[in-house]
Amino acid sequence: MSVKEVNPLHSRYIELTARFKACWTFQRSHDGLQRFFGRQDLGAETYDFQSLYKRLRHASLALGSSGPPSEVDADLDRVAASLNEVTESLDRRDRRVSPSLLRLFFQRVKTFDERLLIEMIRFYQEAQRDRTWSSDRIDKVDFLVSRLAETIAGPGLTGDAKRLQKVLLRLSENAGLDAPDPAKVENRLKLVRTVRAEMRGVSSLERLEQLGLVGHYRDLKHSLGRLYFEPRLLQMIVGTNAALSTLVDGLWRREEEAIFSDYERIADLERAGTMPGELLDAVNRLHDRVGGFRRQMSTGNMRLSELAELREALHQIDSLIAAGAASVAEPPGISDAGRATRLLERDLPGLLSTQAREQIGPSLREMLDALTVSDPAADPSEVVSEPTLLRFHLSAREVSAFRRLAGGGPFDMELEEFLLAAAALRHSLSTEMAAIHGTLSRSPQDLDRVLEGTRSLLRLADRYLKQFSHFLEVQLLDPGAEGARGIQECRMQLMRDLSALWLEAERMTPQGED
C-alpha cells in the first residue's frame, strides 16, 4: 500500500477536491438556469473558484514536498472553510428553485452530460450532511438520478446495465450512510416492490389517477430521507422510476390519441352545422383548452391533471349532446337501500368482532348506500367514476361484487362479501390518514389516542391481506373459478393504502416509541 493511500492529509485533499468540483459544477448549472428563465430572484452571488483552485493546487504541491504537515493541514483548513461558505450560499440559492423548475430546465436544455448530473447529485449529498432531507430535495435528486440512469443506459434502462450499477454504487458510497437497520431497509424494499407490482395492473391514465399510485410512490421516496441512497434501494428505485416513466408515456400517448379522436368528432359535428346552438359556448371553450394543451405539448410542460381536465370537458360535451338527442330518465337503483344495507346485518368476513365492526361499519354502510343508487346499466368500470363513488376508489370487480350480492344469482357469497368489506377497510384507512393529519396542531395526548386506533386498524388490514392470499389460492387452484386478476388488483390497492398509512404513522410516532 502506498504512502498516499494511508496519508490522512492526502485523503483530505482528495475529499476537498471532490467537493470543489461539485460546487463549481452546481454553480455553473444554476447560473445557466437563472439566465435561461431570467430569474433575477435567484441571487447574484459570485464565488472565487479561481482562488480556491489555486489554493488546492498549492496544497497538492506541498503534499509532494518535504514541508511540515502542519502547514498543509492549515491550508486545507482554510480551503474547507471557504468551501463550507460556498456550499451554504449555493444551498440557500437552490432552495428558491422548485423541483418542477429544475425538471423543466433539464427537459428544455439538452446539452448536458452524465458528469454534470453526477456532480450535482454529489453537491446535494454534501449540502445535506447531518441534515434532514426535505421533500423538495428528494424530488430534485430523484429526477437527477433518473436522468443520469437514462443517460447511461438509455430509455427503459436497456443499455449498459453494468456501468449504471457501478455509478449508482459510487453515489451510494458518497452518501456516507451509517449502517442502516436491515429490517427497515427490507421493509422499504418490500414497499417499492409493491408499487412495481401494482403498476403492472394499470391499463389507463384514469386508473392510474384513481389508484393515486404516482403520489403514493412519491410519498414513499420522501419518507426514505438519506436512506434513498442505500445501495439496494437506490438500484430498485431507479428501475421502478424507469418502469413508471415507460408506463406513463405509453398511457399518455394512448390517451392523447383517444382525446384528439373525440375532439375531431365533435369538431366535425360543429362544421356540419348539426350541433345544437346551446353547445357552441362549451365547444368554443373546448377549442381554447385544446389549443393551450397543444402549446404545452410543444414545450414538454404537461401534467396528468391537465389531460384529465381535457378528458372531462369532452365527456361533458358528449353528455350535453346525448341529453339533446333524447331525454334520459334517472336510472333506478339496483335494489332498495334496505336490501343492500342488510349486508351489514350478516356476518361479513373480518367483521365478526365488535371492534372490527366499529372500525369498518361506518365506511361500509356509506359505501353500500352510494352503490345502491349507482347506475345498474352502466359498465362497472364506468360506475367507479360516478361522483358519489369516487371517494371510495373502487375497482370494477368490487362493483360486480355488490351487484351479485344485491341482485342474486350463482356466486361465492363469502368471496363477494369479503371484497366489499376490504373496500370499506381501504376507505377507513384513508379516513384514518385524515384523522392523523387533523391532530398536528393539537395536543400530544390527542395524537397518542389517534395513533393507538391507527395501529389497531393496521393490524386488521394486515389480517385482510392474509385472507386475500387464501382467496387467490382458491382462484388459482380451481379450474372452474373466476379469474384471479380482479382479486389481485383489490389486494394491491389494500396493500398500497396500508403501506401509506403505516409510513405516516411511523413518521408521526415520537422517537423512542414502538
Side-chain angles (χ1 to χ4, degrees), residues 371-420:
L371 281 165
T372 297
V373 297
S374 63
D375 183 354
D379 186 273
S381 62
E382 297 176 358
V383 170
V384 298
S385 299
E386 291 184 6
T388 56
L389 289 172
L390 275 176
R391 66 185 184 279
F392 297 106
H393 301 293
L394 295 175
S395 68
R397 181 63 182 86
E398 289 157 347
V399 174
S400 298
F402 170 79
R403 289 180 174 179
R404 291 172 182 175
L405 289 170
F411 55 84
D412 183 345
M413 180 178 291
E414 183 183 10
L415 171 60
E416 309 305 324
E417 289 181 341
F418 173 77
L419 291 177
L420 284 180

Side-chain angles (χ1 to χ4, degrees), residues 179 243 508:
M508 296 297 296

Side-chain angles (χ1 to χ4, degrees), residues 263 266-267 270 280 282-292 317:
Y263 174 65
I266 291 173
E270 184 184 19
L280 289 179
V283 172
N284 286 334
R285 289 194 296 271
L286 177 65
H287 288 326
D288 292 339
R289 191 183 288 269
V290 170
I317 289 177

